[in-house]
Amino acid sequence: MRFATRMLVVQVATQVAVVAVCTAVFAWLGVQQLRAEADSSALNIARSVAESPQVRERVAEFSADPGTPDAASLRDGVLERYAADVTNRTEGLFVVITDDHGIRLAHPDPDRLGQVVSTSYADALAGREVVTWETGTLGESARAKVPVYPPDGGAPVGEVSVGFERASVFDDLPALLAGIALAVFSAVAIGAIVALLMRRRLERLTLGVQPEELVALVQTQTAVLESADEGVLAIDDTGVVRVCTAAAERLLGIPDAVGRPLADLDLPPAIAIALAGVGASAGLPVGDRVVFIDVRPVRRGARALGRVAVIRDRTAVAALSGRLDSVRAMGDALRVQRHENANRLHAAVGLLDAGRTADARDFLADLVDRGSVDWAVPGIDLVGDAMLQSFLGAKALAARERGVALRVSDDTFLRGTVHDVEDVVAVLGNLLDNAVSATASAPEPREVEVAVLGDGDAVVLTVSDTGSGIADAEAVFAPRERDDDPAAVHGLGIGLPLSREFARRRGGEVWVVDAGGGGRGAVVAARLPGVLRADPQSPAPQPAQGEGESV
């Protein structure tokens, strides 16, 4: 039997038991009330008869006569007619009048006149009124006995006994029981209907899942949701958060979210829009993290229950993607270098095959002086690290395609070798990409200048451009939605926030030196500690007369 059915049976059984007890109590009270009404009626009638002057006078006369009254004379006597009249008017069982010896002076059965009554009359002669249920010659009845006093007062001279038949006392009992039965049936019916409605309401609220199944669901939910690295946020159809795992609270920074409307969680606008809509397939920065949000509607049958958002931490993936972009750029640069070098070697071989040995010697000497690849980046020879030279050369080629010239500042001074090149090129690449994007839409001249400085084991990078500047220097590091528009200005997307995260993880920083504006471009700097391996034996790089050498 299902839990809801068991609850229905228990509720109905409880209601029937309670109503049965109440019915018994009310029935008992009803019977007692009918008995009390019969006793009260008998006592009042007996008092009225005993107070009648005619009765008092005749009873006193018979009590004064030492003999026994004649039954024949009593049949048509005043007391018999009076008692019969009262009996008929009150619909009682009997009205009996006796003298001080218990002799019946009036009785419904004429044959019993002149005889002693079958029940005790001592209390009445003692001046006490008695109300009781007794069995006499006329059967069981509710009777009242009161004393009869003589007209001039004194001790009682007789009694008046008035009785009501048991059946007549409970004439109203069937109607009373019928009323109670109707009330019982109504109460049970109302209780059963309410129990059915509660059962249907419970099944709607639990979607038909029984409590024993709910226990298993809670255990499964706890085991699955809390063991996953992804955060799960469940929102009902009214916008109230119903489930928020610890991972979701950690990723979104929203403690105690359960039971609160989504609008009250103080989330960044981009995150709130993603949770209220269809999610975000691109990364969204939240603090120092980059998250992806996948929102799916939840339905059971035709009923919409709300939506569930899965929040995935993709900070490491985004960081790795940035590093891979940098490595890809360096790989492209090396492929260009290899291709260019191969072309020049083919040219030298052609000169030798043609017998032009002097020309071949001059060509190779020039190649040694200028390097295997002409990056055409002014000042690139000031960068002492070969990997950074290749990276800057590749970025210069990409910038040239967008009409932007990249050059290395004359202030560049870097001695030693960069050993954690991935973080350096990731930060430098983001800064260069932002600068090129800002400059590409600006009027001529479109130039980006980069300075690379060594400071102990730290590398300091400075990137300046000739764009329109940064409108809000703080907003560029604030979480925003990703913008893939090539003409976007500084700070859109996750480049700068992610670059700052890379730097801060090393104890460094990324900041805006000069926001620019008013015809001036912006200057952004970064400091990355612990990435430079100093080489004291290496001479400081000197500007070359021709183009820079690279590998």
Side-chain angles (χ1 to χ4, degrees):
M1 184 182 296
R2 302 177 65 187
F3 177 82
T5 304
R6 291 200 303 269
M7 288 299 298
L8 176 63
V9 172
V10 170
Q11 288 175 342
V12 172
T14 303
Q15 292 165 1
V16 170
V18 172
V19 170
V21 172
C22 294
T23 300
V25 172
F26 281 121
W28 182 81
L29 292 176
V31 170
Q32 297 302 314
Q33 183 178 3
L34 291 176
R35 290 172 63 104
E37 290 177 355
D39 293 343
S40 177
S41 298
L43 180 60
N44 290 332
I45 294 171
R47 286 173 176 174
S48 298
V49 173
E51 291 294 330
S52 172
Q54 187 178 6
V55 172
R56 295 173 66 182
E57 181 180 351
R58 293 298 295 165
V59 171
E61 291 177 358
F62 282 110
S63 296
D65 186 355
T68 301
D70 181 25
S73 62
L74 294 174
R75 288 190 181 95
D76 296 327
V78 175
L79 296 179
E80 179 67 12
R81 292 196 301 273
Y82 184 80
D85 181 60
V86 172
T87 301
N88 292 332
R89 285 189 288 108
T90 60
E91 298 180 351
L93 177 62
F94 61 83
V95 175
V96 176
I97 304 175
T98 68
D99 61 7
D100 56 352
H101 293 91
I103 303 298
R104 298 185 181 97
L105 304 178
H107 195 276
D109 185 0
D111 295 336
R112 297 185 181 276
L113 294 173
Q115 299 178 6
V116 179
V117 293
S118 59
T119 58
S120 175
Y121 54 89
D123 288 331
L125 292 181
R128 295 189 294 270
E129 295 178 344
V130 179
V131 180
T132 184
W133 285 70
E134 291 182 335
T135 302
T137 57
L138 298 179
E140 185 180 8
S141 60
R143 60 185 64 189
K145 299 177 181 180
V146 299
V148 178
Y149 294 94
D152 54 355
V157 293
E159 75 166 358
V160 173
S161 178
V162 176
F164 285 93
E165 188 179 8
R166 181 182 184 88
S168 65
V169 170
F170 297 114
D171 283 344
D172 296 333
L173 187 58
L176 176 63
L177 294 178
I180 294 176
L182 179 61
V184 168
F185 176 78
S186 300
V188 173
I190 293 174
I193 293 173
V194 171
L196 284 172
L197 294 177
M198 291 179 61
R199 175 188 175 184
R200 293 185 59 186
R201 175 64 174 169
L202 177 63
E203 290 187 340
R204 280 200 304 270
L205 290 176
T206 61
L207 306 177
V209 181
Q210 299 302 302
E212 56 271 16
E213 297 172 326
L214 288 175
V215 174
L217 285 178
V218 171
Q219 293 173 340
T220 303
Q221 172 183 303
T222 303
V224 173
L225 297 184
E226 297 301 336
S227 62
D229 293 334
E230 292 83 1
V232 177
L233 191 73
I235 307 166
D236 64 14
D237 53 354
T238 63
V240 177
V241 177
R242 296 303 179 189
V243 176
C244 185
T245 62
E249 291 184 350
R250 174 176 53 81
L251 292 175
L252 298 179
I254 47 172
D256 302 326
V258 177
R260 298 167 58 190
L262 183 63
D264 296 345
L265 295 182
D266 194 23
L267 291 169
I271 300 295
I273 293 173
L275 291 175
V278 295
S281 57
L284 294 177
V286 181
D288 59 350
R289 299 180 182 275
V290 177
V291 299
F292 285 63
I293 299 176
D294 185 16
V295 178
R296 299 290 178 88
V298 179
R299 306 183 68 88
R300 185 177 179 87
R303 181 180 175 187
L305 303 179
R307 56 193 181 277
V308 172
V310 178
I311 301 101
R312 298 179 176 88
D313 186 0
R314 292 296 181 263
T315 305
V317 174
L320 180 60
S321 177
R323 293 188 178 100
L324 288 177
D325 288 341
S326 302
V327 172
R328 187 180 299 111
M330 289 187 291
D332 292 339
L334 292 175
R335 281 193 296 271
V336 171
Q337 182 182 26
R338 178 181 177 278
H339 180 73
E340 183 70 16
N341 189 52
N343 289 338
R344 294 190 177 190
L345 290 178
H346 281 301
V349 171
L351 291 173
L352 292 174
D353 290 341
R356 299 169 59 183
T357 307
D359 291 337
R361 183 180 294 106
D362 293 338
F363 179 80
L364 291 175
D366 181 66
L367 180 62
V368 171
D369 291 336
R370 292 190 298 112
S372 60
V373 178
D374 183 9
W375 291 113
V377 180
I380 196 171
D381 52 314
L382 296 176
V383 179
D385 185 83
M387 187 66 75
L388 287 184
Q389 283 189 0
S390 300
F391 179 74
L392 289 172
K395 284 296 182 181
L397 292 176
R400 190 178 304 129
E401 293 177 355
R402 301 179 63 180
V404 178
L406 176 64
R407 63 187 181 88
V408 177
S409 172
D410 295 337
D411 296 331
T412 295
F413 183 81
L414 180 66
R415 296 185 62 182
T417 304
V418 177
H419 59 91
D420 283 344
V421 69
E422 293 87 358
D423 283 347
V424 176
V425 297
V427 174
L428 181 57
N430 276 322
L431 298 183
L432 288 175
D433 289 342
N434 280 333
V436 171
S437 296
T439 307
S441 58
E444 294 287 351
R446 301 186 184 95
E447 295 180 351
V448 173
E449 183 179 76
V450 57
V452 182
L453 302 173
D455 182 14
D457 65 348
V459 171
V460 180
L461 308 172
T462 304
V463 177
S464 61
D465 59 63
T466 59
S468 58
I470 300 175
D472 188 345
E474 292 298 327
V476 295
F477 297 104
R480 294 188 182 184
E481 292 190 49
R482 187 184 182 110
D483 191 340
D484 295 326
D485 182 4
V489 296
H490 288 283
L492 291 179
I494 60 175
L496 285 178
L498 196 59
S499 298
R500 174 173 277 184
E501 180 192 348
F502 289 155
R504 286 181 174 177
R505 285 181 178 179
R506 288 188 162 276
E509 184 59 276
V510 175
W511 70 96
V512 176
V513 178
D514 184 359
R520 294 184 300 109
V523 180
V524 182
R527 187 175 189 276
L528 299 170
V531 298
L532 184 63
R533 183 182 297 110
D535 186 4
Q537 304 300 324
S538 175
Q542 299 295 328
Q545 298 298 323
E547 285 136 348
E549 181 179 352
S550 179
V551 293

